[in-house]
């Protein structure tokens, strides 16, 4: 089915939706919020059900629910996983607002909680959507004890890691730039520290994590592969707490509490590595590498003001930076590489009525990267980055139990600095051309409805329109036709656009539709199809995602990426108490207007040139099957995921125009996650991962010409690195607090790479033998990073 056909289908669906509003109007509406009884924070996804019926709803990300019911006596239950359910018998003769507090529970789940889990797994229309609890993330073993949100989601089927020591993730064959990463609705462009070894998300500040890899809801856009939506904690509204942790390479500290109890709360959470501080006393100040070092830090802050029952305001921010310094005293050489993110979110939630909820959000996002090298009196460097300022408004309507309608508008102003080069010597600045910033406007509007057509059939249909416009001031360099297209020279023609000029415009409809058909009391079939447009691109000369990769917008040369995905799956609960969930999903993706650097491109090709002049364009496909089995409750919990997939690319200017495996292609991917709760003091955890080796391009021949050694490369990505596999184990010990003490402690022990597997980080090639003797041969050498690594972390809370 083409996007145009989907649009025609939606044009029929939407009028039927509004007709159904009138046909199924109810008499009484009960609404309110569900909060955590200990902290006062809102609970996302809490189930509100009517006993003995199929009627029910769940809370949104702000804890709000609305349910329209026939008047009369109704038995309602509010429940959420890990909390004690609340049941009330209500005589509903008029609209009513009822806020409910749920208390955390450590006892076995009640039937209502089981039903809530079943609703999330088999009854929703969500395709390829998953959430991972923060407590689960904290309990799993991690590299050097550093708990990592991105590493854990990579254990889910269809989500793959970039390789050893890299926190980049690839979803169903898509690239790292095709994932929309949000922190409190603000975009994060680079989600890693230490060149990809750790993610930027401090788990102490994270409240909820959701990842969507299938058909996206219409309210999300701007990327064609996935959405990783991370919400930050609001801060404890009832008591002040201080918590943190001491690890081998970093420490964390979080302070949260009320300014005005149940009205204004705050949270401040910070993390910093201290390898540079600890190593400083042991470094010889006269040594060869004195002055070298590395550190990163994160700072999360949020203030939450519940001004009234109908109005709430948030202000949150994230600030993080990496700084790497290298000094060689003997060579009088030094380099400095800083990079980091900053995001700010301001949000106003307003309850219009018991059936209407509106959220207005302003966001700021900044990402910057710089490199500077100095030797003697000569200095050379470059900078790149993105600055985003956005505004969005979202309206949610609950007209009746059969419908949940969402609509909204969004606007983002992008400023890109792909590359800015500079050089000086003895105080003299070299002219390397002006910094070519690009400015663009991105807008979107959408409408989506979740419609329970019957008890068995639920449909979620949405239509999104997005538009993009690049404006001046801007300079377009056009190399001469007879020149090397990769070489920018002073003879290149220039086209200059003023501030009021439009350089390029794009736009289009992005229809999405998904459905769930219940096939029995414990099973359902789901299917979905959707189109996504992406107006920004990531250009990389490296085989892995690195901070120095260049972000650039669509332009008069680069068209928007276009992706269409079709997926279908079968979902079922197993066991007498529905304690085990299983699913099988298949998908197929078509991608167009993909970008890559042309053969032979080098970073200095961007000097006095537009980056997109060095790019070539192509298309791709990805398809596969995902298998998932999860045990949710009991002493032993965990999951098993397996993905079989294939991802290909076709570029007319690469590989002779023949299809080749994408570097994100991974035929087999297996992950196992296990947790065992021994008692209230000890919890054990273990993980295992196996993946087909990455596809890389290697030289097939090497020969001498005029005294120079030349390489002849084989097919693009025609060689597979050895398979990646690794097992990790961990144990968490929580001593019983002594009577009268307010301090709570916890020890986390872990072993990374249990059986010391030397997984490949990269492969390089050298020569063996002698050319004069005719024994010259090419040899491949593997570089590995991490052997077996034990670690210990102490967590505390006051």
């Amino acid at each position: 089915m083409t996007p145009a056909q989907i649009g025609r289908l939606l044009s029929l669906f939407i009028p039927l939706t509004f007709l159904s509003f009138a046909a199924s109007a109810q008499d009484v509406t009960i609404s309110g919020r569900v909060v955590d009884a200990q902290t006062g924070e809102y609970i996302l996804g809490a189930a509100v059900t009517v006993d003995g019926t199929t009627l029910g709803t769940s809370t949104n990300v702000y804890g709000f629910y609305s349910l329209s019911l026939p008047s009369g006596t109704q038995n309602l239950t509010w429940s959420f996983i890990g909390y004690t359910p609340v049941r009330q018998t209500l005589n509903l003769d008029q609209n009513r607002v009822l806020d409910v507090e749920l208390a955390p529970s450590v006892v076995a789940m009640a039937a209502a909680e089981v039903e809530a889990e079943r609703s999330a797994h088999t009854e929703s229309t969500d395709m390829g959507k998953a959430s991972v609890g923060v407590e689960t993330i904290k309990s799993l073993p991690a590299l050097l004890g550093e708990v990592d949100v991105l590493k854990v989601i990579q254990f889910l089927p269809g989500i793959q890691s970039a390789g050893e020591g890299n926190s980049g993730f690839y979803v169903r064959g898509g690239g790292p730039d095709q994932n929309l990463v949000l922190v409190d609705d603000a975009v994060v462009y680079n989600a890693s520290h230490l060149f990809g070894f750790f993610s930027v998300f401090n788990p102490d500040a994270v409240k909820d994590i959701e990842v969507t890899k299938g058909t996206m809801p219409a309210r999300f856009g701007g990327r064609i592969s996935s959405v990783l939506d991370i919400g930050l904690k609001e801060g404890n509204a009832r008591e002040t707490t201080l918590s943190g942790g001491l690890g081998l390479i970093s420490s964390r500290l979080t302070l949260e509490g009320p300014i005005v109890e149940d009205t204004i709360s705050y949270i401040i959470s910070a993390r910093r590595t201290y390898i540079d501080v600890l190593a400083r006393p042991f470094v010889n100040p006269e040594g060869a590498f004195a002055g070298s070092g590395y550190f990163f830090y994160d700072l999360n802050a949020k203030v939450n003001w519940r001004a009234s029952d109908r109005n709430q305001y948030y202000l949150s921010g994230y600030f993080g930076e990496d700084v790497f310094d290298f000094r060689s005293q003997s060579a009088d050489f030094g380099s400095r590489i800083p990079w980091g993110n900053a995001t700010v979110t301001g949000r106003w939630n307003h309850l219009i009525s018991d059936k209407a909820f509106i959220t207005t959000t302003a966001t700021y996002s900044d990402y910057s990267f710089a490199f500077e090298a100095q030797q003697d009196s000569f200095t050379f460097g470059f900078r790149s980055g993105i600055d985003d300022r956005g505004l969005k408004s979202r309206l949610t309507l609950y007209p009746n139990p059969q419908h949940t309608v969402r609509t909204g508008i969004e606007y983002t102003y992008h400023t890109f600095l792909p590359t800015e080069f500079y050089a000086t010597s003895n105080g003299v600045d070299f002219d390397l051309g002006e910094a070519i910033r690009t400015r663009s406007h991105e807008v979107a509007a959408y409408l989506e409805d979740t419609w329970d057509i019957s008890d068995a059939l639920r449909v979620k249909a949405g239509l999104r329109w997005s538009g993009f416009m690049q404006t001046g001031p801007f300079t377009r360099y056009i190399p001469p036709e007879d020149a090397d297209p990769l070489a920018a020279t002073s003879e290149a023609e220039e086209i200059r656009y003023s501030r009021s000029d439009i350089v390029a415009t794009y736009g289009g409809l992005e229809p999405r539709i998904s459905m769930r058909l219940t096939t029995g009391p414990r099973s359902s079939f789901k299917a979905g199809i959707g189109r996504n447009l992406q107006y920004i691109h990531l250009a990389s000369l490296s085989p892995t995602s690195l901070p120095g990769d260049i972000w650039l917008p669509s332009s008069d040369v680069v068209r928007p990426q276009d992706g269409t995905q079709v997926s279908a799956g079968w979902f079922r609960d197993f066991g007498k108490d529905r304690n085990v969930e299983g699913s099988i999903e298949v998908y197929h993706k078509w991608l167009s207007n993909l970008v890559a650097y042309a053969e032979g491109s080098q970073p200095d090709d961007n000097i006095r040139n537009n980056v997109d002049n060095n790019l070539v364009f192509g298309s791709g496909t990805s398809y596969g099957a995902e298998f998932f089995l999860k045990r949710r409750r009991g002493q032993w919990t965990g999951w098993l995921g397996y993905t079989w997939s294939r991802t290909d690319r076709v570029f007319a200017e690469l590989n002779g125009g023949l299809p080749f495996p994408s570097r994100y292609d991974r035929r087999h991917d297996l992950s196992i996650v296990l947790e065992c709760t021994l008692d209230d003091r000890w919890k054990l955890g273990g993980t295992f991962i196996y993946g087909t080796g990455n596809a890389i391009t290697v030289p097939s021949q090497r020969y001498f010409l005029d005294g120079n050694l030349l390489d002849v490369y084989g097919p693009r990505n025609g060689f597979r690195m050895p398979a990646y596999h690794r097992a990790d184990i961990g144990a968490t010990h929580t001593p019983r607090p002594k009577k009268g003490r307010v301090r709570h402690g916890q020890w986390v022990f872990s072993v990374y790479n249990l059986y010391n597997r030397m997984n490949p980080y990269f492969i390089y090639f050298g020569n063996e033998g002698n050319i004069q003797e005719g024994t010259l041969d090419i040899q491949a050498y593997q570089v590995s990073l991490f052997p077996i690594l034990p670690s210990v972390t102490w967590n505390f809370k006051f």
Side-chain angles (χ1 to χ4, degrees), residues 299-340:
L299 176 65
N300 296 89
K302 191 170 186 176
V303 177
N304 165 37
W305 176 29
R306 300 175 184 175
S308 66
D309 291 339
R310 293 188 176 273
N311 294 284
Q312 184 170 5
Y313 303 89
Y314 298 84
L315 181 63
S316 67
Y318 164 79
F319 309 92
E321 187 178 28
D322 292 65
V323 178
F324 174 75
D325 286 291
F326 175 78
R327 295 287 182 270
S328 175
Q329 304 295 339
S330 59
D332 193 20
F333 173 81
S335 65
R336 179 178 174 83
I337 309 176
W339 72 94

Side-chain angles (χ1 to χ4, degrees), residues 242-566:
L242 178 67
S243 61
L246 299 175
L248 292 180
I249 66 169
S250 73
S251 289
R252 316 179 317 273
L253 192 65
T254 300
L255 179 66
E256 58 180 315
I259 298 175
V260 178
E261 186 173 348
D262 284 331
T263 303
I264 304 177
S265 62
Y266 70 91
I267 181 171
I268 302 173
S269 186
R271 176 176 63 163
R272 192 195 190 276
T273 57
Y274 38 65
I275 294 178
D276 58 323
V277 177
L278 295 179
R280 194 170 297 152
F282 305 99
V283 176
N284 183 355
E286 304 299 327
F289 302 107
S292 299
Y294 169 81
F295 70 89
F296 71 75
Y297 72 86
D298 296 308
L299 176 65
N300 296 89
K302 191 170 186 176
V303 177
N304 165 37
W305 176 29
R306 300 175 184 175
S308 66
D309 291 339
R310 293 188 176 273
N311 294 284
Q312 184 170 5
Y313 303 89
Y314 298 84
L315 181 63
S316 67
Y318 164 79
F319 309 92
E321 187 178 28
D322 292 65
V323 178
F324 174 75
D325 286 291
F326 175 78
R327 295 287 182 270
S328 175
Q329 304 295 339
S330 59
D332 193 20
F333 173 81
S335 65
R336 179 178 174 83
I337 309 176
W339 72 94
N341 297 277
T343 69
V344 178
T345 301
R347 181 186 295 126
W348 170 40
N349 295 342
H350 177 59
L351 182 62
I352 300 173
S353 70
D354 53 11
K355 293 186 178 184
F357 187 94
I358 191 169
T359 299
T360 302
T361 306
T363 60
Y364 169 78
S365 180
D366 176 82
Y367 170 66
S368 61
F369 173 86
F371 170 83
E372 182 175 283
Q374 174 269 329
Q375 187 164 24
D376 298 325
S377 60
F378 178 73
T379 300
F380 172 80
F382 69 89
R383 309 180 187 92
S384 67
I386 311 174
D387 182 294
D388 281 357
R389 295 147 195 242
L391 185 65
K392 62 183 69 175
S393 187
R394 296 176 173 176
L395 173 65
T396 305
L397 302 173
Y398 306 89
N400 55 51
Q402 286 73 42
H403 291 274
T404 300
V405 180
R406 294 179 175 89
T407 186
I409 55 175
E410 302 174 0
Y411 168 76
T412 304
Y413 178 65
H414 302 282
T415 302
F416 291 82
L417 177 61
T419 51
E420 178 185 17
F421 293 90
Y422 60 92
T424 62
S425 180
N426 293 317
V428 178
D429 294 332
F430 293 89
D431 181 12
L432 299 181
E434 63 177 315
I436 306 175
R437 285 180 168 81
T438 63
R439 298 160 179 84
S440 53
H441 307 264
E442 186 173 349
V443 296
Y446 66 87
L447 173 66
E448 68 177 46
D449 179 32
T450 303
W451 180 11
D452 286 327
I453 298 175
S454 67
D455 290 345
L457 180 60
R458 173 180 293 176
V459 175
K460 177 185 287 186
L463 185 62
R464 180 184 182 90
W465 176 85
S466 61
F468 183 88
M469 180 170 63
Q470 181 190 350
T471 61
F474 175 70
T475 301
R476 165 61 63 191
Y477 291 96
I478 304 177
E481 293 184 4
D482 58 348
D484 183 347
L486 297 179
T489 70
S490 58
E491 299 177 358
E493 179 184 350
E494 295 182 7
I495 301 177
R496 293 187 174 271
Y497 296 89
S498 67
R499 183 177 299 275
S500 59
D501 290 336
I502 297 175
V503 180
T505 59
Y506 299 99
L509 294 176
E510 304 175 42
R512 293 95 181 264
I513 186 167
S514 58
M515 55 80 68
R516 179 269 296 155
L517 179 65
T518 301
T519 56
R522 298 187 176 194
S523 63
S524 63
F525 171 80
K526 303 180 186 181
I529 183 172
R531 182 195 186 207
N532 295 66
L533 295 174
Q534 178 172 329
Y535 299 100
I536 65 173
H537 312 261
L538 185 66
S540 175
L541 288 170
S542 166
T544 60
S545 177
L546 292 176
D549 295 345
I550 296 174
W551 290 91
L552 66 157
S554 297
S555 65
D556 53 330
V557 172
V558 184
R559 297 183 60 82
Q561 299 183 62
D562 193 333
T564 298
Q565 180 177 188
V566 177

